Amino acid sequence: MILSKNNTDEWSFHFEFDPQRESLEDFPPQRCAELVRAAVGDPDIKVEILAGSTWDTGVHVADAYRVGRVLLAGDAAHRHAPWGGFGANTGIADAHNLAWKLPAVLAGHADPALLDTYQAERRPRAVLAAAQARLRTDFLARYGVVTTENEKDVARQLDSAVIMTRYRYISSAVADDVAAADGEWVEQLSGQVGTRLPHVWLEAGSGAESGADSKAGQGEQLSSLDLCGPGFALLVGPEAADWSQAVQAVSRETGIDIALCRKGEWFDACELPADGAVLVRPDAHVAARSDRGLSPETLPGIVRALLSRTPAGF
């Protein structure tokens, strides 16, 4: 593998060797330069070796993501080969998960136990991503080309969308609602509790009561995902009851911002009627929905459960 470092004259050249027979000391600059010339196909090309090191495609996932005030994310929590492109994406999702929980705890709006949900939600995703990267170690397996040597690994590979997008955070609140065949992912994002809110194009200025239209100009398109963050978002259908008093009361009680968005184009994607509603966490994951107990009357208890991480909360 040859990678460009600056798109001009600096490159990174990767090749395999057997660590049982050789070590880094067996590859002095002169030998490395010869390997580069052989790979390029030009025995006379000028090569200067700037640095050399070894790395492996081993899979490592931390046993614990939190010890007291220390939380691990990204490569500190999980490391594996780049096959599949899962490493950076998984790390960014780690930070996305923490980005609303830490401020809520530090501001005193949420119980410190909320931070324990970080490992419960993110570590299984890292284990899956790391395992899937390992299944792509073989070059042909990486591209789904089946051989007698890699056929078992290819058969176990999952679609990238399943690994990176269509996952579902599992908790005591939703575990009974997950079919065993579904595992921890869904066939399609439709606003299921624990999954990422599906993307739907919306027209700005079409009925957001608070917090949404400031993210786009009048008449411009924005994604349903643009309605999420930095606080919670409550999306209600055009025929839904009045939620404003309940939202204001909960915000006053908990200190948590909840943007109330009455936009009519999203509810079909969530398989809800026109009077439906979904409560979305700041990280764009659905926390509750109207056909699973969410109502103006239950909103305070649901938000309190989310912030205190009681068994009733996702």
Side-chain angles (χ1 to χ4, degrees):
M1 180 167 61
I2 301 176
L3 302 174
S4 174
K5 303 290 284 188
N6 63 359
N7 290 321
T8 54
D9 61 350
E10 193 170 319
W11 303 78
S12 174
F13 174 51
H14 301 244
F15 60 91
E16 294 182 4
F17 72 96
D18 184 353
Q20 300 299 320
R21 301 172 56 190
E22 296 179 299
S23 68
L24 181 61
E25 287 69 29
D26 295 308
F27 293 89
Q30 182 179 355
R31 184 182 178 189
C32 289
E34 293 172 353
L35 289 168
V36 171
R37 294 187 182 99
V40 173
D42 184 349
D44 299 320
I45 191 172
K46 182 181 178 181
V47 177
E48 178 187 0
I49 304 299
L50 301 180
S53 63
T54 62
W55 68 281
D56 64 68
T57 58
V59 172
H60 306 273
V61 179
D63 293 331
Y65 274 31
R66 181 192 182 193
V67 179
R69 297 175 63 244
V70 178
L71 296 108
L72 302 182
D75 286 354
H78 42 80
R79 183 174 67 82
H80 51 80
W83 323 135
F86 306 134
N89 289 289
T90 305
I92 291 168
D94 293 342
H96 198 209
N97 188 280
L98 279 175
W100 72 273
K101 295 176 180 178
L102 274 173
V105 171
L106 293 174
H109 301 321
D111 189 278
L114 178 64
L115 295 178
D116 292 332
T117 66
Y118 170 59
Q119 173 173 318
E121 293 182 350
R122 292 305 310 162
R123 189 176 184 278
R125 311 315 313 160
V127 171
L128 176 63
Q132 287 292 311
R134 194 215 62 77
L135 294 175
R136 291 160 171 79
T137 301
D138 176 74
F139 180 82
L140 294 178
R142 207 172 303 160
Y143 299 97
V145 180
V146 180
T147 66
T148 55
E149 290 79 15
N150 69 22
E151 57 183 346
K152 291 183 179 179
D153 284 351
V154 173
R156 293 170 56 197
Q157 290 180 12
L158 298 175
D159 182 84
S160 294
V162 169
I163 304 166
M164 292 286 97
T165 307
R166 299 205 309 270
Y167 57 84
R168 182 174 190 175
Y169 292 146
I170 303 298
S171 76
S172 58
V174 300
D176 294 339
D177 190 36
V178 180
D182 289 340
E184 293 183 358
W185 56 83
V186 295
E187 290 297 324
Q188 180 176 344
L189 293 176
S190 56
Q192 303 96 324
V193 174
T195 65
R196 193 168 184 259
L197 183 72
H199 155 73
V200 179
W201 284 119
L202 306 172
E203 291 292 335
S206 62
E209 297 187 12
S210 65
D213 282 347
S214 61
K215 302 179 181 180
Q218 184 74 19
E220 294 182 3
Q221 280 192 325
L222 72 163
S223 169
S224 53
L225 297 172
D226 292 329
L227 304 178
C228 306
F232 283 77
L234 180 68
L235 277 62
V236 300
E239 299 178 14
D242 182 13
W243 285 79
S244 56
Q245 291 186 351
V247 168
Q248 293 169 10
V250 172
S251 294
R252 286 195 301 268
E253 175 188 344
T254 64
I256 294 293
D257 291 331
I258 302 178
L260 179 57
C261 309
R262 188 180 295 273
K263 287 180 172 290
E265 303 93 332
W266 62 268
F267 60 89
D268 281 342
C270 290
E271 299 180 355
L272 284 170
D275 61 353
V278 294
L279 178 66
V280 187
R281 303 189 329 186
D283 60 358
H285 282 75
V286 176
R289 46 187 286 151
S290 54
D291 59 352
R292 295 291 186 272
L294 175 64
S295 69
E297 293 73 28
T298 62
L299 179 64
I302 289 174
V303 173
R304 284 195 297 268
L306 285 167
L307 298 178
S308 64
R309 192 50 172 167
T310 63
F314 159 62

